[in-house]
Protein backbone atom coordinates (compact mmCIF):
# COMPACT_ATOMS: atom_id res chain seq x y z
CA UNK A 1 0.00 0.00 0.00
CA UNK A 2 1.12 3.59 -0.56
CA UNK A 3 1.77 6.01 2.30
CA UNK A 4 -1.53 7.73 1.47
CA UNK A 5 -4.66 6.23 0.00
CA UNK A 6 -8.04 7.63 -0.95
CA UNK A 7 -11.22 6.08 0.40
CA UNK A 8 -14.82 6.91 -0.40
CA UNK A 9 -17.03 6.39 2.64
CA UNK A 10 -20.74 7.12 2.31
CA UNK A 11 -20.02 9.66 -0.40
CA UNK A 12 -17.19 11.40 1.48
CA UNK A 13 -13.61 11.36 0.21
CA UNK A 14 -11.02 10.58 2.88
CA UNK A 15 -7.26 10.46 2.74
CA UNK A 16 -5.94 7.64 4.91
CA UNK A 17 -2.30 7.00 5.64
CA UNK A 18 0.06 4.19 6.62
CA UNK A 19 -2.62 1.51 6.52
CA UNK A 20 -0.05 -1.25 6.90
CA UNK A 21 1.41 0.28 10.07
CA UNK A 22 1.27 -2.22 12.95
CA UNK A 23 -0.47 -0.61 15.93
CA UNK A 24 -0.68 -3.74 18.11
CA UNK A 25 2.74 -5.41 17.64
CA UNK A 26 1.98 -8.49 19.76
CA UNK A 27 -0.90 -9.35 17.43
CA UNK A 28 0.42 -7.82 14.21
CA UNK A 29 -2.81 -5.78 14.11
CA UNK A 30 -2.52 -2.91 11.64
CA UNK A 31 -4.20 0.45 11.17
CA UNK A 32 -6.11 -1.05 8.23
CA UNK A 33 -7.53 -3.68 10.59
CA UNK A 34 -8.44 -0.99 13.15
CA UNK A 35 -10.37 0.90 10.47
CA UNK A 36 -11.96 -2.31 9.20
CA UNK A 37 -13.17 -3.19 12.71
CA UNK A 38 -14.72 0.23 13.22
CA UNK A 39 -16.45 0.07 9.84
CA UNK A 40 -17.92 -3.34 10.67
CA UNK A 41 -19.03 -2.45 14.21
CA UNK A 42 -20.38 0.97 13.20
CA UNK A 43 -24.09 0.02 13.14
CA UNK A 44 -23.86 -0.89 16.84
CA UNK A 45 -21.27 1.70 17.85
CA UNK A 46 -22.58 4.89 16.22
CA UNK A 47 -25.79 5.18 18.29
CA UNK A 48 -23.57 5.38 21.40
CA UNK A 49 -21.20 7.93 19.83
CA UNK A 50 -23.74 10.12 18.09
CA UNK A 51 -24.08 13.65 19.47
CA UNK A 52 -21.71 13.00 22.37
CA UNK A 53 -18.57 15.12 22.86
CA UNK A 54 -15.64 12.85 22.09
CA UNK A 55 -12.16 12.92 23.58
CA UNK A 56 -9.64 11.40 21.17
CA UNK A 57 -7.08 9.04 22.72
CA UNK A 58 -4.46 8.70 20.01
CA UNK A 59 -1.65 6.18 19.61
CA UNK A 60 0.20 7.34 16.48
CA UNK A 61 3.11 4.96 17.11
CA UNK A 62 0.93 2.09 18.27
CA UNK A 63 0.09 0.81 21.74
CA UNK A 64 3.76 0.56 22.74
CA UNK A 65 4.59 4.08 21.60
CA UNK A 66 2.66 6.15 24.10
CA UNK A 67 -0.53 8.14 23.62
CA UNK A 68 -2.04 11.56 24.07
CA UNK A 69 -5.55 12.84 24.74
CA UNK A 70 -7.05 15.41 22.41
CA UNK A 71 -10.13 17.18 23.70
CA UNK A 72 -10.06 20.04 21.19
CA UNK A 73 -11.07 18.68 17.80
CA UNK A 74 -8.05 18.98 15.45
CA UNK A 75 -8.04 22.10 13.30
CA UNK A 76 -7.08 20.00 10.26
CA UNK A 77 -10.34 18.03 10.44
CA UNK A 78 -12.52 17.84 7.32
CA UNK A 79 -15.20 20.52 7.13
CA UNK A 80 -17.93 17.88 7.56
CA UNK A 81 -16.70 16.67 10.96
CA UNK A 82 -19.08 18.32 13.41
CA UNK A 83 -18.05 19.87 16.72
CA UNK A 84 -19.74 21.14 19.88
CA UNK A 85 -18.42 23.85 22.23
CA UNK A 86 -18.01 22.73 25.85
CA UNK A 87 -17.00 25.21 28.53
CA UNK A 88 -13.67 24.45 30.18
CA UNK A 89 -13.44 25.77 33.72
CA UNK A 90 -9.68 25.26 33.69
CA UNK A 91 -9.09 27.09 30.43
CA UNK A 92 -11.91 29.60 30.99
CA UNK A 93 -13.05 29.17 27.41
CA UNK A 94 -15.13 26.92 25.21
CA UNK A 95 -13.35 23.88 23.78
CA UNK A 96 -14.70 22.50 20.51
CA UNK A 97 -15.03 18.73 20.92
CA UNK A 98 -15.46 16.38 17.97
CA UNK A 99 -18.84 14.80 17.31
CA UNK A 100 -18.48 11.44 15.57
CA UNK A 101 -21.96 10.47 14.51
CA UNK A 102 -21.49 8.99 11.06
CA UNK A 103 -19.26 6.48 9.33
CA UNK A 104 -16.96 8.95 7.50
CA UNK A 105 -16.22 10.76 10.78
CA UNK A 106 -15.53 7.43 12.49
CA UNK A 107 -13.09 6.35 9.76
CA UNK A 108 -11.42 9.76 9.94
CA UNK A 109 -10.89 9.36 13.70
CA UNK A 110 -9.60 5.80 13.29
CA UNK A 111 -7.10 7.03 10.69
CA UNK A 112 -5.71 9.37 13.37
CA UNK A 113 -4.94 6.23 15.41
CA UNK A 114 -7.70 7.20 17.83
CA UNK A 115 -7.83 3.63 19.07
CA UNK A 116 -10.00 4.38 22.09
CA UNK A 117 -13.23 6.38 21.89
CA UNK A 118 -13.97 8.23 25.12
CA UNK A 119 -17.38 9.89 25.25
CA UNK A 120 -19.19 12.26 27.56
CA UNK A 121 -22.18 11.01 29.52
CA UNK A 122 -24.05 13.98 28.03
CA UNK A 123 -25.35 14.69 24.57
CA UNK A 124 -24.29 17.77 22.66
CA UNK A 125 -27.70 19.40 22.87
CA UNK A 126 -27.37 19.68 26.65
CA UNK A 127 -23.92 19.05 28.02
CA UNK A 128 -25.09 19.72 31.59
CA UNK A 129 -27.46 16.75 31.67
CA UNK A 130 -26.00 13.22 31.82
CA UNK A 131 -28.08 10.47 30.24
CA UNK A 132 -26.74 7.75 32.53
CA UNK A 133 -24.94 7.03 35.78
CA UNK A 134 -21.78 4.96 35.40
CA UNK A 135 -20.02 2.81 37.98
CA UNK A 136 -16.48 1.94 36.87
CA UNK A 137 -15.37 -1.19 38.76
CA UNK A 138 -11.57 -1.30 38.92
CA UNK A 139 -9.86 -4.24 40.66
CA UNK A 140 -6.68 -3.80 42.66
CA UNK A 141 -4.44 -6.85 42.25
CA UNK A 142 -4.76 -9.65 43.13
CA UNK A 143 -8.48 -8.90 42.66
CA UNK A 144 -9.55 -9.27 39.05
CA UNK A 145 -12.52 -9.24 36.70
CA UNK A 146 -14.15 -12.13 38.59
CA UNK A 147 -14.24 -9.97 41.71
CA UNK A 148 -15.65 -7.10 39.65
CA UNK A 149 -18.50 -9.36 38.54
CA UNK A 150 -19.33 -10.20 42.15
CA UNK A 151 -19.44 -6.51 43.06
CA UNK A 152 -21.50 -5.76 39.96
CA UNK A 153 -24.12 -8.27 41.14
CA UNK A 154 -24.31 -6.51 44.49
CA UNK A 155 -24.71 -3.23 42.65
CA UNK A 156 -27.48 -4.69 40.50
CA UNK A 157 -29.31 -5.96 43.59
CA UNK A 158 -29.33 -2.46 45.12
CA UNK A 159 -30.57 -0.97 41.86
CA UNK A 160 -33.35 -3.56 41.64
CA UNK A 161 -34.49 -2.72 45.16
CA UNK A 162 -34.75 0.88 43.99
CA UNK A 163 -36.74 -0.17 40.91
CA UNK A 164 -33.87 0.59 38.54
CA UNK A 165 -32.42 -1.46 35.66
CA UNK A 166 -28.65 -1.48 35.05
CA UNK A 167 -26.53 -2.76 32.16
CA UNK A 168 -22.98 -4.19 32.35
CA UNK A 169 -20.12 -3.99 29.90
CA UNK A 170 -16.49 -4.94 30.09
CA UNK A 171 -13.91 -2.20 30.19
CA UNK A 172 -11.94 -4.14 27.62
CA UNK A 173 -9.27 -4.67 30.24
CA UNK A 174 -9.32 -5.91 33.81
CA UNK A 175 -12.52 -4.15 34.91
CA UNK A 176 -16.26 -3.94 34.43
CA UNK A 177 -18.59 -0.97 34.03
CA UNK A 178 -22.23 -0.77 35.04
CA UNK A 179 -24.48 1.81 33.39
CA UNK A 180 -27.72 3.03 34.89
CA UNK A 181 -29.76 4.84 32.21
CA UNK A 182 -31.50 8.04 33.24
CA UNK A 183 -32.39 9.95 30.03
CA UNK A 184 -34.30 12.54 32.03
CA UNK A 185 -33.57 16.09 33.19
CA UNK A 186 -31.07 14.93 35.78
CA UNK A 187 -27.91 16.94 36.44
CA UNK A 188 -24.40 15.88 37.40
CA UNK A 189 -24.78 16.96 41.01
CA UNK A 190 -27.60 14.44 41.32
CA UNK A 191 -25.89 11.56 39.51
CA UNK A 192 -22.57 12.11 41.27
CA UNK A 193 -24.07 12.27 44.76
CA UNK A 194 -26.23 9.21 44.03
CA UNK A 195 -23.32 7.15 42.71
CA UNK A 196 -21.08 8.23 45.60
CA UNK A 197 -23.70 7.30 48.19
CA UNK A 198 -24.35 3.93 46.57
CA UNK A 199 -20.62 3.16 46.36
CA UNK A 200 -20.15 4.06 50.02
CA UNK A 201 -23.08 1.88 51.06
CA UNK A 202 -21.60 -1.11 49.23
CA UNK A 203 -18.21 -0.49 50.83
CA UNK A 204 -19.88 -0.46 54.25
CA UNK A 205 -21.67 -3.72 53.41
CA UNK A 206 -18.46 -5.50 52.33
CA UNK A 207 -15.34 -3.53 53.35
CA UNK A 208 -13.10 -6.57 52.86
CA UNK A 209 -13.74 -6.58 49.10
CA UNK A 210 -14.99 -3.09 48.14
CA UNK A 211 -13.52 0.40 48.41
CA UNK A 212 -15.14 3.69 47.39
CA UNK A 213 -12.35 6.07 48.43
CA UNK A 214 -10.07 7.44 45.74
CA UNK A 215 -6.73 6.68 47.42
CA UNK A 216 -4.92 4.03 45.39
CA UNK A 217 -3.14 2.59 48.43
CA UNK A 218 -6.52 1.33 49.69
CA UNK A 219 -7.32 -0.74 46.61
CA UNK A 220 -5.02 -3.75 47.02
CA UNK A 221 -7.09 -6.92 46.73
CA UNK A 222 -10.33 -4.94 46.51
CA UNK A 223 -12.65 -3.60 43.83
CA UNK A 224 -12.70 0.18 43.64
CA UNK A 225 -16.14 1.52 42.69
CA UNK A 226 -15.19 4.66 40.79
CA UNK A 227 -18.19 6.96 41.13
CA UNK A 228 -16.19 10.06 40.16
CA UNK A 229 -16.72 9.41 36.44
CA UNK A 230 -20.13 11.05 36.87
CA UNK A 231 -18.79 14.51 36.13
CA UNK A 232 -19.32 16.85 33.18
CA UNK A 233 -15.54 17.02 32.63
CA UNK A 234 -14.99 13.24 32.62
CA UNK A 235 -15.34 10.79 29.76
CA UNK A 236 -15.73 7.01 29.75
CA UNK A 237 -14.73 4.52 27.10
CA UNK A 238 -17.62 3.96 24.71
CA UNK A 239 -19.34 0.63 24.20
CA UNK A 240 -17.67 -1.28 21.34
CA UNK A 241 -14.51 0.85 21.46
CA UNK A 242 -11.17 -0.82 21.03
CA UNK A 243 -8.78 -0.71 23.98
CA UNK A 244 -5.06 -0.17 23.76
CA UNK A 245 -3.96 -3.40 25.43
CA UNK A 246 -1.06 -5.58 24.30
CA UNK A 247 -3.47 -7.24 21.89
CA UNK A 248 -6.68 -5.54 20.66
CA UNK A 249 -9.65 -5.96 22.97
CA UNK A 250 -13.11 -4.37 22.93
CA UNK A 251 -15.23 -2.75 25.63
CA UNK A 252 -18.11 -5.15 25.18
CA UNK A 253 -21.68 -5.16 26.54
CA UNK A 254 -22.43 -8.43 28.33
CA UNK A 255 -25.50 -10.08 29.82
CA UNK A 256 -26.16 -10.42 33.53
CA UNK A 257 -26.21 -14.18 32.97
CA UNK A 258 -22.61 -13.96 31.79
CA UNK A 259 -21.69 -11.84 34.81
CA UNK A 260 -23.34 -14.37 37.15
CA UNK A 261 -21.55 -17.28 35.47
CA UNK A 262 -18.15 -15.62 35.73
CA UNK A 263 -18.74 -14.61 39.35
CA UNK A 264 -19.63 -18.21 40.24
CA UNK A 265 -16.99 -20.28 38.52
CA UNK A 266 -15.35 -18.48 35.62
CA UNK A 267 -11.98 -17.09 34.63
CA UNK A 268 -11.31 -13.41 33.99
CA UNK A 269 -10.33 -14.25 30.41
CA UNK A 270 -13.87 -15.51 29.73
CA UNK A 271 -15.07 -11.91 29.42
CA UNK A 272 -12.17 -10.50 27.41
CA UNK A 273 -13.23 -10.11 23.78
CA UNK A 274 -11.19 -9.55 20.64
CA UNK A 275 -12.55 -7.47 17.74
CA UNK A 276 -13.55 -10.63 15.88
CA UNK A 277 -15.34 -11.98 18.96
CA UNK A 278 -17.14 -8.67 19.54
CA UNK A 279 -18.36 -8.67 15.93
CA UNK A 280 -19.56 -12.26 16.25
CA UNK A 281 -21.43 -11.36 19.45
CA UNK A 282 -23.35 -8.46 17.93
CA UNK A 283 -24.29 -10.64 14.99
CA UNK A 284 -25.72 -13.16 17.42
CA UNK A 285 -27.04 -10.92 20.22
CA UNK A 286 -27.58 -7.51 18.66
CA UNK A 287 -26.82 -4.40 20.69
CA UNK A 288 -27.17 -5.36 24.35
CA UNK A 289 -26.52 -1.74 25.26
CA UNK A 290 -29.31 -0.20 23.16
CA UNK A 291 -31.59 0.45 26.19
CA UNK A 292 -28.89 2.64 27.76
CA UNK A 293 -29.66 5.27 25.10
CA UNK A 294 -33.43 5.20 25.47
CA UNK A 295 -34.61 3.84 28.83
CA UNK A 296 -35.95 6.60 31.09
CA UNK A 297 -35.52 6.10 34.82
CA UNK A 298 -35.82 8.40 37.82
CA UNK A 299 -33.19 8.35 40.52
CA UNK A 300 -34.55 8.12 44.07
Amino acid sequence: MSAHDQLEVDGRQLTVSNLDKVLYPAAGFTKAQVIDYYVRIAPMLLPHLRDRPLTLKRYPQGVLGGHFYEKRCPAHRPSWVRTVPVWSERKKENVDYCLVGDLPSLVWAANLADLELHTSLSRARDVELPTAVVFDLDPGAPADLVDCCRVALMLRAVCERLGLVAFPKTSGGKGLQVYLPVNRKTNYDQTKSFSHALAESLEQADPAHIVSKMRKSLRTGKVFIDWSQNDRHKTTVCAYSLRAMATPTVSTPVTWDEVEKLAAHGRASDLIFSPAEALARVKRLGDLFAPVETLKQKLP
Side-chain angles (χ1 to χ4, degrees):
M1 292 182 179
S2 63
H4 293 83
D5 294 274
Q6 294 295 316
L7 292 181
E8 182 175 327
V9 181
D10 286 357
R12 303 285 193 188
Q13 292 294 325
L14 287 88
T15 300
V16 293
S17 60
N18 302 315
L19 292 179
D20 56 354
K21 188 169 190 173
V22 176
L23 298 182
Y24 293 85
F29 203 79
T30 65
K31 184 194 280 190
Q33 289 172 292
V34 167
I35 293 174
D36 179 70
Y37 166 74
Y38 277 129
V39 169
R40 292 175 184 273
I41 202 69
M44 302 296 171
L45 167 63
L46 287 175
H48 302 289
L49 281 180
R50 192 167 288 123
D51 293 326
R52 294 188 184 275
L54 177 70
T55 295
L56 307 180
K57 190 175 182 183
R58 296 175 57 184
Y59 293 78
Q61 302 307 318
V63 297
L64 300 182
H67 68 273
F68 63 95
Y69 289 94
E70 198 163 14
K71 293 181 180 291
R72 193 182 302 275
C73 200
H76 57 76
R77 65 184 180 272
S79 60
W80 38 263
V81 173
R82 297 172 55 222
T83 62
V84 58
V86 177
W87 179 256
S88 169
E89 196 59 40
R90 185 173 65 86
K91 294 179 179 292
K92 301 299 181 184
E93 65 177 5
N94 280 324
V95 173
D96 288 330
Y97 282 69
C98 298
L99 292 176
V100 175
D102 56 32
L103 187 57
S105 300
L106 180 59
V107 172
W108 167 78
N111 182 60
L112 295 180
D114 178 28
L115 299 183
E116 297 189 358
L117 304 165
H118 290 253
T119 52
S120 170
L121 289 169
S122 303
R123 295 191 178 97
R125 59 179 173 266
D126 201 333
V127 296
E128 301 298 331
L129 300 182
T131 61
V133 182
V134 63
F135 299 91
D136 192 2
L137 308 184
D138 185 16
D144 61 11
L145 184 54
V146 176
D147 299 282
C148 289
C149 287
R150 292 169 181 154
V151 173
L153 293 172
M154 296 174 64
L155 179 58
R156 179 184 64 165
V158 174
C159 289
E160 287 178 340
R161 287 199 296 271
L162 296 171
L164 300 169
V165 182
F167 298 84
K169 74 176 177 72
T170 69
S171 68
K174 60 184 180 179
L176 194 73
Q177 294 159 349
V178 177
Y179 277 62
L180 190 63
V182 181
N183 292 305
R184 300 169 65 99
K185 290 190 178 299
T186 305
N187 62 42
Y188 280 104
D189 286 340
Q190 294 169 303
T191 58
K192 197 168 189 177
S193 61
F194 172 81
S195 60
H196 191 184
L198 200 157
E200 284 186 325
S201 70
L202 287 175
E203 179 183 22
Q204 290 165 8
D206 191 359
H209 299 105
I210 297 172
V211 61
S212 66
K213 297 177 181 64
M214 303 296 292
R215 208 157 67 239
K216 289 188 176 180
S217 61
L218 299 175
R219 301 181 192 178
T220 302
K222 299 182 181 182
V223 173
F224 170 49
I225 302 179
D226 189 354
W227 49 269
S228 70
Q229 292 296 107
N230 298 286
D231 189 290
R232 70 184 296 275
H233 300 294
K234 297 284 187 74
T235 57
T236 307
V237 68
C238 190
Y240 305 110
S241 172
L242 290 172
R243 299 309 305 267
M245 302 296 167
T247 59
T249 60
V250 176
S251 181
T252 308
V254 293
T255 67
W256 281 114
D257 284 346
E258 289 175 306
V259 174
E260 290 173 355
K261 182 178 178 181
L262 189 67
H265 48 71
R267 300 168 300 172
S269 59
D270 293 343
L271 286 188
I272 301 294
F273 300 105
S274 69
E277 290 168 333
L279 287 165
R281 282 176 62 85
V282 299
K283 186 175 182 179
R284 185 175 78 254
L285 300 173
D287 181 10
L288 295 174
F289 236 48
V292 173
E293 297 297 325
T294 58
L295 181 60
K296 292 185 178 181
Q297 301 187 106
K298 185 176 182 179
L299 296 183

